[in-house]
Each structure stands twice: as structure tokens, then as C-alpha cells.
Amino acid sequence: MQILLAHGPNLNLLGERKPEVYGTTTLLDIEADVAGVANARGAAVLCLQTNHEGRLIDALHELRRVVDGVVLNAGAWTHTSVALRDAIEAVELPVVEVHLSNTHRREEFRHRSLIAAVCIGQVTGLGREGYRVATELLLDYLEGRR
Ligand code: DQA
């Protein structure tokens, strides 16, 4: 079993970007957390972060037969990208949407997710811990337990 952990724009700056909202955890910390959870369950993790929307869409296309599922924090593209929504739908991979912050407690434009309807679930506002939850959920789903 192999999963993709994908991050969208500005998430390479985790740890220094708005720590009052996103905490001091770095992207490397998150990648290590997800790898820890997945490896303990016998799954491998591929990690990707990109600030280029087309790169993320290309990666979903290229990896659609390589990985079994995706943990995705699409950052701001969550709220803007019909193209990303269509890509998730097209590749037919199970995707769990993750946000560090509780987007529903923030500006109104963050309340709507364009990708939620094509994801198997959403974990929002649990900070770093949300990725562990999302990874367990995805693996449970892939193992047919959900
Ligand atoms: C985010 C929430 C988004 O609204 C924002 O654009 C981000 C990060 C989160 O993890 O809380 O870049 O996805």
C-alpha cells in the first residue's frame, strides 16, 4: 500500500507562516508524522509540496495508478480550484482533505471547500494531529474498514 501526502501553496513555509494560526510545526514534521503512522501499518508514503496548481494536478494524474489514496492539504486552492476538484474526481483515488486551521472559524471565503464533495472525508482544525487522523482514516478506508 502506498499513499500520497500532498500539500498546496505556501505550506512549504509552515513553522514560520502565521504560527498563531498554523502552529510551529514544519512540513518536515508533518511528513514524518504521516510516514510514522503509515509505516507502522505497512504502508509507504510519497510526499509532494508545490506552489503550482498544474504541478499538483499533473502529480495526481501521474500517480493515479501508483498510489492507493491521498492525504491532501490543498491550502488556498481548496476554496478556488474547480480544476483540482475535477482532477480528484477524474483520478478516482480516495482523498482525505486536511486543514490545520478550522477554516469555518476564519474568513467567510475559507468556509467553502470546492473539493470536499469529491473527497471521502475532511479533517479540519485539529492542527498537526489532523494528519495522523486523516492517515488512519485513509488506511482504514483502503483496508475496507470504512
Ligand atoms: C489551510 C487553510 C486554507 O484556507 C489556507 O489557504 C491554507 C492552509 C489550513 O491548513 O488550515 O493555506 O489549508
Side-chain angles (χ1 to χ4, degrees):
M1 191 97 76
Q2 178 153 248
I3 65 171
L4 172 67
L5 171 63
H7 282 92
N10 303 306
L11 294 164
N12 52 309
L13 297 182
L14 282 178
E16 52 182 282
R17 173 192 180 202
K18 288 179 83 69
E20 70 282 8
V21 174
Y22 299 117
T24 53
T25 304
T26 67
L27 186 56
L28 274 179
D29 294 330
I30 288 168
E31 290 175 349
D33 283 355
V34 169
V37 170
N39 294 348
R41 293 182 59 163
V45 181
L46 292 179
C47 296
L48 167 79
Q49 186 280 325
T50 179
N51 295 317
H52 304 276
E53 189 176 342
R55 173 73 195 108
L56 178 57
I57 292 169
D58 283 344
L60 289 171
H61 292 183
E62 287 158 12
L63 295 172
R64 71 187 186 281
R65 296 195 186 94
V66 175
V67 299
D68 300 293
V70 185
V71 172
L72 172 65
N73 185 343
W77 296 329
T78 305
H79 319 297
T80 62
S81 181
V82 175
L84 177 60
R85 181 226 180 271
D86 286 353
I88 293 169
E89 189 174 45
V91 298
E92 296 184 338
L93 284 169
V95 176
V96 179
E97 175 185 353
V98 183
H99 300 287
L100 288 152
S101 63
N102 182 347
T103 51
H104 301 286
R105 295 183 76 173
R106 300 181 63 196
E107 302 96 322
E108 203 168 332
F109 65 85
R110 295 186 204 276
H111 296 182
R112 187 175 66 148
S113 167
L114 295 185
I115 65 172
V118 289
C119 291
I120 59 169
Q122 189 187 49
V123 181
T124 305
L126 300 188
R128 176 180 187 168
E129 185 58 25
Y131 287 89
R132 293 179 193 273
V133 172
T135 305
E136 299 278 13
L137 278 167
L138 178 62
L139 294 173
D140 285 353
Y141 180 90
L142 291 171
E143 289 169 5
R145 290 207 235 141
R146 279 179 202 273

